[in-house]
Amino acid sequence: MGFPKDFLWGGATAANQCEGGWNVDGKGIALSDVQTGGSVNEPRYTTYVTKDGERCKAPMFAPVPSDATYEVFEDCYYPYHEGVDFYHRYKEDIALLAEMGFKVFRMSIAWTRIFPNGIEDEPNREGLEFYRNVFKELKKYNIEPLVTIFHYDMPLYMEQNLGGWTNRKLIDLYTKYAETLFKEYKGLVKYWLTINEINSTILIKNYVPNMSEEEIRRRYQELHNLLVASARAVKVGHEIDSENMIGAMVAGVSGYPRTCSPDDVLANQKRSQDLFYYTADTMVRGEYPAFAEKIWKENGVKLEFGENDEKDLKEGTVDMMTFSYYSTSCTSTDPNVEKAKGNFTTGAKNPYLKYSEWGWSLDPTGLRIFLNDLNGRYNNLPMMVVENGLGAIDKLEEDGTIHDPYRIEYLREHVKAMELALEDGVNLIGYTSWGCIDLVSASTGEMKKRYGYIYVDRNNDGSGTMNRYKKDSFYWYKKCIESNGEEI
Ligand code: BG6
């Protein structure tokens, strides 16, 4: 059987992690521009000044005092400021993606390039032109853009002055931003994702130690506002162009009970409901699932609904389900069990799996299981795996080669798992592996945690030529695409 002939093979990026050019051509500052570099053991910090003028930094997900002012400090290093300079090198990069045979390229638009503070009446033309040029360049090679409208780069003004997504004003501001993009790029872009890993706002309650109950409640409200904003964007996107195919992008939370004890099995089911299906069901079905009431009760959540929220959720259901999938974790009711890391998740370690240098499990079969679960639950709705990959340290050899068999092995196993899932009957239409060109890691701010087929000569401290080199995985993926997943 194999992959369908029009399968969308490609790779994925996000604006703030690769573009650089953080303050040029009218771009405003994003919250992610005040986040420093970190490492696997040292968090990234958000830098700010207190009302008494004290310079401070807080770990990336920790709260910052409400009267503080976010600021860029001259003596701190902010890896997103230069990214990997996609802003200036996109033609060279797209030519390399085309050489691999990409059918689709997932990228995001930086909100701050279009509306520098998020609140302006008129968009910044220079920002709009930049993305138009990128889309035209992709078109030249018949590569479909898959555009994420919002990927972790909130305009700083909105965080600082409006309090971020807790404020319902953001629903309108986001809808206006999305509408601008749909109108501007009608005919150039067909595939859209509304909000990257939209569930991450509640997901990190498992990740950040000792999050207060009040903060958790705030985050459920934030997620509600995000879901309404996403639904409104879907509606507007369909009104502007009925050809638009607009997807949910939910961080994949999948795993196993640590043992077959019914308590562990139940705990695992509850974890999936809370951290994944609560969000995904709402986006696909247009209403919160039955188990939402229980989640609200357990967390003391009283959601504030706007007058039209229910209607908007109903009318703004997505055309496809897309998700990130890197690893799985286990749920255990035993507090002493050994723990493992993951993408915004922690959980019990799985003795049957291997782990990456950053402690994320390697579980291709888990992808097949997850795809089957989703396919059954959502009645054959089209799906894409829009992030997947192995963050690893690569070595640039003297002769400009990079040998990354570990990455090839990871990807090969996941491609095989997708093929088996297709045989199982899932409706999978595309695959965009993460960080197809090396970019700055979102969780650690490092360059050395690399995912790409294309190596970028840039180091954790910002040194390096920014030159691009083809890794062994570049040639492997080229062949994989050429043979539609047969020669891997
Ligand atoms: C996802 C994000 O959480 O995982 C990406 O959507 C991110 O932005 C990716 O880069 C991989 O995580 P990391 O921390 O290894 O960069």
Side-chain angles (χ1 to χ4, degrees), residues 128-409:
L128 289 171
E129 282 321 302
F130 168 66
Y131 293 107
R132 181 182 305 286
N133 292 333
V134 173
F135 299 144
K136 282 193 188 154
E137 196 65 19
L138 290 167
K139 216 178 172 61
K140 210 163 107 182
Y141 299 102
N142 286 323
I143 301 175
E144 283 284 347
L146 166 63
V147 174
T148 319
I149 296 173
F150 175 51
H151 190 135
Y152 295 147
D153 55 356
M154 164 83 82
L156 188 60
Y157 178 92
M158 299 204 309
E159 188 65 32
Q160 180 81 68
N161 301 71
L162 304 178
W165 279 105
T166 320
N167 187 339
R168 287 187 59 93
K169 273 193 193 142
L170 263 75
I171 301 176
D172 294 331
L173 293 169
Y174 171 85
T175 311
K176 178 179 167 185
Y177 162 54
E179 184 177 351
T180 306
L181 302 183
F182 290 130
K183 282 190 177 147
E184 197 68 33
Y185 303 127
K186 184 172 172 176
L188 273 175
V189 179
K190 174 181 169 196
Y191 297 100
W192 302 86
L193 305 178
T194 54
I195 295 167
N196 183 64
E197 295 191 329
I198 187 167
N199 54 335
S200 59
T201 178
I202 58 158
L203 197 51
I204 62 172
K205 70 180 174 173
N206 268 28
Y207 187 71
V208 176
N210 310 319
M211 192 178 270
S212 73
E213 285 175 15
E214 191 195 340
E215 176 65 6
I216 292 174
R217 284 198 288 275
R218 189 186 71 74
R219 284 175 173 274
Y220 277 97
Q221 183 63 48
E222 199 169 81
L223 177 54
H224 175 76
N225 297 351
L226 283 157
L227 288 167
V228 174
S230 168
R232 283 217 212 149
V234 174
K235 268 169 72 172
V236 173
H238 286 153
E239 277 157 25
I240 293 172
D241 188 346
S242 57
E243 293 286 298
N244 276 332
M245 179 123 178
I246 311 174
M249 186 340 187
V250 189
V253 178
S254 141
Y256 316 96
R258 175 69 180 78
T259 70
C260 53
S261 125
D263 287 344
D264 280 359
V265 177
L266 186 66
N268 187 56
Q269 185 181 58
K270 281 190 75 174
R271 177 174 186 267
S272 296
Q273 287 181 335
D274 185 10
L275 299 182
F276 187 84
Y277 291 117
Y278 173 89
T279 305
D281 286 1
T282 309
M283 297 182 89
V284 173
R285 297 173 178 159
E287 60 186 10
Y288 283 104
F291 55 78
E293 289 282 350
K294 186 76 191 295
I295 291 174
W296 294 328
K297 206 167 159 204
E298 282 172 356
N299 290 284
V301 174
K302 290 204 170 53
L303 281 194
E304 234 181 83
F305 272 71
E307 213 184 311
N308 292 317
D309 287 4
E310 280 187 42
K311 186 166 175 281
D312 287 337
L313 289 175
K314 248 297 122 349
E315 292 173 358
T317 54
V318 290
D319 304 313
M320 58 180 169
M321 171 50 65
T322 84
F323 58 88
S324 52
Y325 178 92
Y326 293 91
S327 56
T328 52
S329 53
C330 292
T331 315
S332 172
T333 44
D334 173 1
N336 301 317
V337 83
E338 191 185 355
K339 297 273 186 328
K341 294 187 182 171
N343 182 27
F344 283 121
T345 49
T346 53
K349 196 159 183 176
N350 188 331
Y352 298 97
L353 298 178
K354 290 194 186 127
Y355 284 80
S356 79
E357 286 163 289
W358 276 264
W360 297 18
S361 69
L362 313 178
D363 186 9
T365 304
L367 176 59
R368 180 178 177 190
I369 298 170
F370 193 46
L371 282 166
N372 270 282
D373 282 351
L374 294 176
N375 201 64
R377 192 169 185 116
Y378 301 135
N379 259 338
N380 238 20
L381 188 74
M383 283 191 285
M384 281 199 214
V385 180
V386 294
E387 283 187 32
N388 170 244
L390 178 71
I393 297 171
D394 294 329
K395 182 162 180 277
L396 175 63
E397 305 288 348
E398 300 252 304
D399 62 357
T401 56
I402 299 100
H403 306 300
D404 56 346
Y406 33 89
R407 181 168 298 107
I408 294 174
E409 190 192 334

